[in-house]
Amino acid sequence: ADIGGSLGCDELIVLDEVPGTSYEDYESVDIVSRVMEVTEGKGCKAVIDGIGKSTMDISIGSLAQRGIFVSFGNASGAVPAFPVLRLIGKSAYVTRPKLLDYTTTREELVSRADEIFGWLKDGKLKVSVDTAFPLEQAAEGHLYLEAGKSKGKVLYQID
C-alpha cells in the first residue's frame, strides 16, 4: 500500500512519483508513529531505504513482525553496523543487496535491462531528471549531489 502520501512526511515511505520532492527533513514528523497509526499498529512488511544513515532507525522502527529492511543506498552516509539482536523483537530481516549479485551473467544483465527499458517504453516507470551538468563540471555535479540538492536524477552531458 502507498502510505507515504497520507503520512505527511514527503512521501518518504513509499513513492509513486517524486518530482520536486526534497528529503532533507526526517524529523518534522514522527514517521514511526505515523506508520504504526496508518497500519493499525502492524508496521510495514518491507521498508526499502535508499537514504541510509539518517533513516535507518526510522526504517527499522517502522517494520512489521517478520518485516524486511532493505538498505540499498548511502545518500546520507553508510548505515553503521548494529547488533543483530536489535531485530529480535520483531523477528525482522535485513539485507543490503548489490546489483552485481543480481546480474551475474551477461544474459541476466541483458534480461533485466530489457525489462526495465520495457517499463520505460510502456510508461510504467517514470524517471525524474533534476538537472544535467556538462562533463567538464563533474566536480560541481558531485558537490550538488553531496549537498542533497537533487530532486531527481543528475546527469552528465558528454559532447
Side-chain angles (χ1 to χ4, degrees):
D2 178 358
I3 61 174
S6 62
L7 291 176
C9 60
D10 287 336
E11 290 94 4
L12 190 62
I13 311 327
V14 177
L15 306 167
D16 284 333
E17 295 184 46
V18 295
T21 302
S22 173
Y23 301 104
E24 297 171 8
D25 179 9
Y26 309 111
E27 298 177 5
S28 64
V29 173
D30 182 347
I31 298 171
V32 175
S33 293
R34 292 288 289 137
V35 166
M36 292 305 169
E37 179 183 332
V38 170
T39 62
E40 299 175 349
K42 294 178 183 170
C44 298
K45 292 180 182 179
V47 175
I48 303 170
D49 185 339
I51 305 298
K53 184 178 180 180
S54 295
T55 54
M56 160 193 161
D57 292 328
I58 294 167
S59 296
I60 292 173
S62 298
L63 288 173
Q65 200 77 15
R66 296 184 309 274
I68 185 166
F69 167 43
V70 180
S71 174
F72 74 93
N74 300 320
S76 66
V79 170
F82 62 91
V84 72
L85 282 176
R86 181 170 179 195
L87 304 171
I88 198 169
K90 297 180 180 183
S91 294
Y93 301 87
V94 64
T95 186
R96 179 56 163 99
K98 68 180 188 301
L99 180 61
L100 293 178
D101 286 335
Y102 292 86
T103 56
T104 57
T105 65
R106 174 81 180 150
E107 293 76 24
E108 192 173 24
L109 173 65
V110 169
S111 172
R112 291 185 185 279
D114 286 346
E115 185 175 27
I116 290 169
F117 285 122
W119 294 338
L120 286 166
K121 181 181 173 196
D122 296 341
K124 295 177 182 176
L125 178 63
K126 295 178 175 51
V127 177
S128 174
V129 176
D130 177 288
T131 191
F133 288 89
L135 190 56
E136 305 81 51
Q137 295 178 2
E140 289 87 348
H142 283 275
L143 292 173
Y144 185 81
L145 286 168
E146 290 169 16
K149 294 180 181 178
S150 65
K151 296 176 177 79
K153 300 298 177 196
V154 174
L155 306 178
Y156 293 97
Q157 297 170 330
I158 301 173
D159 295 325

